[in-house]
């Protein structure tokens, strides 16, 4: 089965072709083309929804053509069309979603509306030899920080979430405060590599509380109060380079400590022996290394997507579409996009 996926929920226009070959696991990612709008939105310090949607419409035809060419397939060979239906920016979602529906209608093939979060959640399994297995999922993106007990496709139980900012949002907001470019995660990550994480004592909110929720908003407040102590002007541009790197290292480590601590607690609680981590923050170099070390010591199998599949991409949408199509779960063409889309098959929090 050949599935074409389209992603346009935020500032990446992406198309991917994923093929399941009988008797083979995992499926083959024939192409995964991403056209990022980050340089454009960087000028404004964040994503401008109107600009995002206009650019999706101009970029999509070229991205679609390139994805088909790279895969060496024609549109007539596609068995199902999948696209992100939410959560995300409504005007941005509409572009990819409408294109996928139009292609499905023209080709007389089924359409699958995919939840963006489910795309991230399942992304570590795109390249996993054993396919999708029951596991604990930690999703760390710009919009979400979630712990989910996954028993199988469409069998999800939320067990933890951020009560305020998502982990990626915390990176982005602290970076903005430090006058670093958007998106902040990679900028903080880069500087943290040259910094001393122990120089600044930053808070790890809720880390030792007896539940699986997160809170990251206190981190930006802590940085806000730290800045004037480091430079009389309070202007981050007056910090010497080493101080900036030390601050970035401190912020990165505070976020990592909380994520790993809560994930380990959740593993104990759910008795899962497999941890899958996904979303844009999961390409953080130190998070990956420290997770690998902790999981090795605890004899937990850690599944991480390759870096290219951590931030927004369409391979994860095509893959989720493939799993649903395989189960005969298709969506009518009048399925609306939903900026606050809930995960189908998810049970309420325990
Ligand atoms: O999953 P994603 O591409 O989009 C959402 O669905 O939100 O995640 C984007 C987030 C941004 O907040 C970005 O700052 C963060 O992922 N991010 C990182 C890194 N690369 C991207 N955070 C920390 N370290 C990184 N290397
Ligand atoms: Zn995402």
């Amino acid at each position: 089965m050949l599935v074409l996926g389209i992603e346009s929920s935020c500032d990446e226009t992406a198309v991917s072709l994923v093929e399941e070959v009988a008797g083979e696991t995992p499926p083959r990612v024939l192409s995964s083309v991403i056209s990022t709008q980050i340089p454009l939105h960087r000028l404004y310090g964040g994503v401008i929804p109107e600009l995002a949607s206009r650019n999706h419409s101009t970029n999509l035809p070229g991205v679609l053509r390139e994805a088909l060419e790279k895969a060496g397939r024609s549109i007539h060979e596609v068995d199902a069309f999948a696209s992100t239906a939410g959560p995300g920016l409504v005007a941005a979602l509409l572009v990819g979603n409408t294109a996928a529906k139009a292609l499905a209608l023209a080709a007389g093939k089924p359409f699958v509306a995919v939840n963006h979060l489910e795309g991230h959640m399942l992304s570590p399994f795109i390249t996993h030899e054993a396919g999708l297995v029951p596991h604990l999922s930690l999703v760390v993106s710009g919009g979400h920080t979630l712990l989910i007990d996954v028993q199988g496709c469409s069998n999800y139980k939320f067990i933890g979430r951020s009560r305020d900012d998502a982990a990626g949002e915390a990176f982005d907001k602290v970076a903005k405060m430090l006058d670093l470019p958007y998106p902040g995660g990679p900028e903080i990550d880069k500087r943290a590599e040259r910094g001393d994480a122990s120089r600044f004592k930053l808070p790890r909110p809720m880390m030792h509380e007896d539940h699986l929720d997160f809170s990251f908003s206190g981190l930006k407040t802590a940085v806000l109060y730290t800045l004037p102590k480091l430079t009389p002007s309070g202007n981050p541009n007056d910090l010497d380079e080493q101080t900036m790197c030390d601050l970035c290292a401190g912020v990165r480590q505070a976020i990592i400590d909380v994520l790993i601590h809560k994930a380990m607690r959740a593993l104990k609680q759910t008795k899962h022996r497999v941890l899958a981590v996904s979303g844009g923050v999961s390409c953080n170099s130190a998070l990956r290394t420290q997770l690998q070390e902790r999981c090795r010591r605890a004899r937990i199998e850690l599944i991480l997507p390759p870096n290219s599949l951590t931030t927004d991409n369409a391979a994860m949408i095509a893959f989720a579409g493939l799993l649903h199509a395989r189960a005969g779960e298709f969506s009518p063409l009048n399925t609306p996009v939903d900026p606050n889309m809930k995960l189908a098959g998810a049970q309420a929090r325990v």
Side-chain angles (χ1 to χ4, degrees):
M1 184 187 306
L2 179 64
V3 178
L4 185 147
I6 302 182
E7 157 63 33
S8 72
S9 66
C10 191
D11 55 356
E12 327 281 358
T13 319
V15 178
S16 170
L17 280 100
V18 171
E19 184 172 44
E20 180 172 63
V21 179
E24 253 185 54
T25 309
R28 299 179 189 171
V29 178
L30 302 182
S31 63
S32 175
V33 178
I34 304 171
S35 165
T36 183
Q37 302 177 18
I38 284 177
L40 176 71
H41 296 283
R42 186 172 284 154
L43 302 173
Y44 306 94
V47 180
I48 309 290
E50 168 81 14
L51 270 185
S53 92
R54 285 176 189 222
N55 278 277
H56 285 314
S57 356
T58 48
N59 294 344
L60 189 53
V63 174
L64 178 63
R65 211 169 298 123
E66 190 181 336
L68 286 164
E69 271 169 25
K70 282 200 167 136
R73 296 303 171 89
S74 96
I75 202 90
H76 306 290
E77 294 173 76
V78 175
D79 297 304
F81 293 86
S83 93
T84 308
L89 306 168
V90 69
L93 287 165
L94 275 168
V95 178
N97 201 260
T98 308
K101 287 173 177 171
L103 289 167
L105 184 65
K109 296 288 168 58
F111 166 70
V112 188
V114 173
N115 184 302
H116 182 83
L117 278 180
E118 188 178 35
H120 277 303
M121 269 172 69
L122 299 176
S123 65
F125 295 91
I126 298 176
T127 50
H128 192 237
E129 294 296 324
L132 179 65
V133 293
H135 66 280
L136 174 75
S137 169
L138 170 64
V139 182
V140 271
S141 69
H144 296 86
T145 303
L146 296 167
L147 281 164
I148 307 156
D149 178 346
V150 179
Q151 293 299 332
C153 188
S154 301
N155 188 345
Y156 312 127
K157 192 192 282 178
F158 287 102
I159 56 173
R161 62 170 169 84
S162 177
R163 293 188 186 175
D164 41 56
D165 293 345
E169 197 177 355
F171 273 111
D172 294 340
K173 286 182 174 171
V174 169
K176 202 165 195 175
M177 209 175 271
L178 297 177
D179 208 18
L180 300 175
Y182 168 85
E187 298 294 330
I188 291 187
D189 197 15
K190 228 185 324 180
R191 286 164 182 79
E193 286 299 300
R194 288 176 272 130
D196 170 9
S198 64
R199 177 166 163 199
F200 298 105
K201 300 277 167 281
L202 295 169
R204 273 99 171 122
M206 292 187 185
M207 188 158 93
H208 294 293
E209 290 178 20
D210 192 21
H211 56 74
L212 297 172
D213 283 350
F214 304 85
S215 166
F216 291 108
S217 67
L219 201 52
K220 61 178 192 285
T221 315
V223 173
L224 186 70
Y225 288 133
T226 305
L227 267 180
K229 295 181 196 154
L230 302 174
T231 156
S233 65
N235 184 341
N237 294 304
D238 293 338
L239 296 178
D240 64 79
E241 202 196 327
Q242 192 54 53
T243 302
M244 176 64 98
C245 292
D246 292 345
L247 201 49
C248 286
V251 168
R252 179 176 77 167
Q253 196 54 48
I255 294 174
I256 291 176
D257 282 351
V258 179
L259 290 176
I260 296 186
H261 191 88
K262 291 283 179 175
M264 291 296 147
R265 184 188 284 267
L267 283 163
K268 232 179 242 167
Q269 185 177 307
T270 56
K271 302 197 167 45
H272 276 301
R273 305 299 301 162
V274 179
L275 171 65
V277 187
S278 59
V281 178
S282 73
C283 76
N284 186 279
S285 52
L287 175 63
R288 291 175 88 93
T289 317
Q290 293 177 37
L291 271 170
Q292 273 152 354
E293 177 54 21
R294 278 295 285 276
C295 288
R296 189 189 57 75
R297 277 195 276 133
R299 295 176 201 280
I300 296 292
E301 183 189 355
L302 174 66
I303 310 178
L304 290 165
N307 273 341
S308 58
L309 300 181
T310 53
T311 45
D312 290 348
N313 65 86
M316 68 184 195
I317 303 305
F319 179 65
L322 174 67
L323 296 193
H324 286 294
R326 194 200 275 162
E329 295 165 7
F330 298 107
S331 317
L333 288 179
N334 61 356
T335 307
V337 296
D338 179 358
N340 303 309
M341 190 177 185
K342 300 281 172 280
L343 205 56
Q347 296 170 34
R349 288 157 52 77
V350 285

